[in-house]
Amino acid sequence: MNLPETFVRQTQDLLKDDYKFFEKSLFEKIPTSIRVNPFKSTNQIFREQVAWCDSGFYLPSRPIFTLDPLFHAGCYYVQEASSMFLEQIINNIIDHPVVCLDLCAAPGGKSTHLSSILPKNSLLVSNEVIRSRAHILAENLTKWGNPSTIVTNNNPTEIGQINHLFDIILADVPCSGEGM
C-alpha cells in the first residue's frame, strides 16, 4: 500500500518518533472483536478481553457471523474495540439514572453498548435520520433486549428544539457503521 506523500509528511510531523509504529499498524491484520450482551447468556468463554470494556473480547479468528444463531439472538454485537472505549467515558461521568440521546445511532453498536452500561432506570433514545438505517437500528436494539430504549427517526434540528430533556448526548458524526 502506497500512502500519499502529503499524508505521510503530515503524519510524521504530528507523530514524530511514533510514526513508525503507526505505519506498521496500517499493514497488520485487524483483530475481530465482539461485545457480549450482559442481558443474555452465551455460555462461551472468551480468552482475550478488551482492556477498556468489561464485556468486550477479541476473537482468535473471524467467524461467519451470519451463520451463528447467537449473533441473530443478540447475545453479542460485532464491534471494533476502539468504539468500546465509550464505556470508560460513561463510567467516569455518569453515576445516576439519566436520559441519554445517541443522535446518530445506526446501526446500533454504541446504542447497544450504552443500553448495557447506563445506570439502572436510565432511558436511551437512539435516533437515526436515515429511515432505512433506522430500521436496522431498531432491529439491533430489539435483539439486544433492553426495554429502556426508544428508537426515533428524526432530523437532529427537530431534536434540537427539545430543551432540557437529555442529560447526555452522544454524536458520532459521521459514523460509517462499518467498524472503521
Side-chain angles (χ1 to χ4, degrees):
M1 173 191 335
N2 289 327
L3 300 172
E5 249 183 72
T6 305
F7 172 80
V8 171
R9 269 196 317 278
Q10 289 175 343
T11 309
Q12 285 173 331
D13 290 345
L14 181 69
L15 298 177
K16 310 271 187 258
D17 292 337
D18 289 332
Y19 177 80
K20 61 182 174 271
F21 300 113
F22 169 74
E23 184 179 39
K24 181 181 178 227
S25 74
L26 295 176
F27 299 98
E28 292 177 350
K29 182 182 172 210
I30 298 170
T32 301
S33 50
I34 62 167
R35 201 171 20 77
V36 176
N37 188 336
F39 306 115
K40 299 182 179 182
S41 174
T42 63
N43 294 326
Q44 292 186 6
I45 298 172
F46 299 103
R47 298 193 189 336
E48 188 180 355
Q49 185 171 9
V50 174
W52 48 88
C53 179
D54 290 341
S55 59
F57 297 91
Y58 294 105
L59 301 180
S61 62
R62 185 175 185 88
I64 302 173
F65 293 111
T66 56
L67 299 179
D68 186 355
L70 294 176
F71 171 74
H72 292 288
C75 292
Y76 63 89
Y77 193 93
V78 182
Q79 186 176 40
E80 214 294 312
S82 64
S83 293
M84 297 179 201
F85 192 76
L86 176 63
E87 183 169 320
Q88 294 300 310
I89 297 165
I90 295 299
N91 287 344
N92 280 294
I93 64 171
I94 303 296
D95 62 357
H96 60 281
V98 295
V99 178
C100 179
L101 170 65
D102 185 352
L103 187 62
C104 315
K110 290 180 185 72
S111 280
T112 56
H113 199 182
L114 282 167
S115 76
S116 298
I117 59 177
L118 287 173
K120 186 177 181 178
N121 298 320
S122 291
L123 175 66
L124 173 62
V125 177
S126 298
N127 182 70
E128 176 54 45
V129 70
I130 301 169
R131 189 173 223 30
S132 60
R133 289 174 53 88
H135 291 294
I136 295 165
L137 171 64
E139 180 182 339
N140 283 328
L141 284 168
T142 299
K143 287 193 291 189
W144 202 251
N146 185 340
S148 298
T149 59
I150 297 171
V151 174
T152 59
N153 175 225
N154 292 82
N155 189 301
T157 57
E158 296 167 344
I159 293 174
Q161 296 173 15
I162 302 170
N163 293 321
H164 311 294
L165 175 62
F166 301 108
D167 301 300
I168 187 167
I169 298 173
L170 171 68
D172 185 359
V173 183
C175 176
S176 69
E178 297 174 359
M180 300 172 66

